[in-house]
Amino acid sequence: MSALMNATRSELAKQFSVSVWWILLIVLVLYVGGTAGSLAAAFGASDSGLAGAASLPGGLGDRLPVIVYGTATAIGYVFPLIVGTLMVTGEYRHKTLTPTFLATPRRGAALAAKVLAGVVMGLLYGVAAVVSTVGAGAAMFAVFGVDPQLTEPATWASIGRMLLALVLWVLVGIALGALIRNQIGAVVGVLAFTQFVEPIARLGAALVDGLAPVVRFLPGAASDALAGDSVFNALGGGTADALEWWAGGLVLAGYAAVLLVLGGILSWRRDVV
């Protein structure tokens, strides 16, 4: 156990010794916080009937705060996903995996250390994302007289599940990095799938009969289900038969587990070149 803890501390030292982690963290906070504040202002103005306000989907009622706060996961999940991917592919790119294996000869333990370090990184990014969306969203709700529902247990339960979702996304990224050694290929693949393939598929589910039951098992849809709601659902890109939150969590955790096993078997144990 002490060897695993030492390996985990080493992994965390690697992450905090480079500037990528805080650059991505700052971009994440600005991106999701700014989006949450803008959405809260737009929905608040629309619901208030202000002149010149854009007409947005109505009837959201009690869903509105969670939708805005859920920006942390709905659009911010790509950041922890990339962080997890870089935690592994960066070692291949910079040729540091050989000393990692020399320090931790058991490769399973080395991968487990990355997973534990990934949980810490996921919590760091998750807390930063949630604080920025809740802070910006609640502030805009106050301006337009919308109840931010910060005294509701259901809101905090949803926020807790958002943190869990962002931790799981780091683990999915680590698993992808273990499976796909090439850093550029892995990052491009992640961006292509998360920013184009899945959003298009989820939008298509509203137009193609029989596609919705399949699309809800995609990782992004499962993440939204775990969080409780998302702006994607509010604007018509979600499915009416979305998974229960616990089922969404199991699906997302399943992606991480299956990819980790595949990465460990097919790539992680191969010779380092």
Side-chain angles (χ1 to χ4, degrees):
M1 182 62 69
S2 60
L4 179 58
M5 291 299 101
N6 289 336
T8 302
R9 283 194 291 267
S10 176
E11 290 297 332
L12 289 172
K14 292 176 188 176
Q15 300 311 307
F16 294 122
S17 64
V18 295
S19 59
V20 172
W21 75 270
W22 60 262
I23 293 174
L24 287 176
L25 187 67
I26 291 174
V27 175
L28 168 65
V29 168
L30 294 176
Y31 180 42
V32 298
T35 303
S38 299
L39 285 173
F43 278 116
S46 179
D47 286 352
S48 300
L50 294 182
S55 178
L56 295 172
L60 296 178
D62 292 341
R63 292 175 57 195
L64 186 54
V66 172
I67 288 171
V68 171
Y69 304 153
T71 308
T73 51
I75 66 172
Y77 73 92
V78 68
F79 290 90
L81 179 59
I82 290 177
V83 167
T85 304
L86 295 178
M87 286 177 66
V88 183
T89 58
E91 297 242 48
Y92 286 110
R93 181 179 181 183
H94 298 293
K95 310 298 183 183
T96 58
L97 199 56
T98 297
T100 294
F101 287 155
L102 290 174
T104 311
R106 296 175 58 186
R107 296 197 177 188
L111 186 57
K114 286 193 178 292
V115 169
L116 292 177
V119 171
V120 175
M121 298 300 293
L123 287 173
L124 172 63
Y125 278 78
V127 169
V130 168
V131 167
S132 63
T133 57
V134 173
M140 286 296 101
F141 284 144
V143 170
F144 291 96
V146 177
D147 182 8
Q149 297 185 19
L150 292 179
T151 60
E152 298 294 329
T155 300
W156 289 102
S158 179
I159 289 172
R161 296 196 301 269
M162 292 174 200
L163 289 175
L164 175 58
L166 292 172
V167 170
L168 289 174
W169 276 115
V170 175
L171 303 188
V172 172
I174 291 173
L176 286 172
L179 186 62
I180 306 172
R181 293 186 169 198
N182 183 276
Q183 186 174 79
I184 295 177
V187 172
V188 170
V190 162
L191 291 175
F193 184 84
T194 60
Q195 305 304 303
F196 298 102
V197 177
E198 180 168 354
I200 291 173
R202 292 178 68 181
L203 287 171
L207 305 175
V208 180
D209 290 338
L211 187 59
V214 177
V215 166
R216 65 178 180 167
F217 288 99
L218 290 174
S223 178
D224 285 348
L226 174 57
D229 212 335
S230 75
V231 65
F232 198 85
N233 293 339
L235 297 179
T239 61
D241 54 348
L243 296 171
E244 295 290 335
W245 70 264
W246 57 267
L250 288 176
V251 169
L252 191 57
Y255 276 106
V258 170
L259 290 172
L260 272 172
V261 170
L262 290 176
I265 294 174
L266 301 177
S267 179
W268 190 248
R269 296 185 183 278
R270 287 164 48 191
D271 292 337
V272 180
V273 293

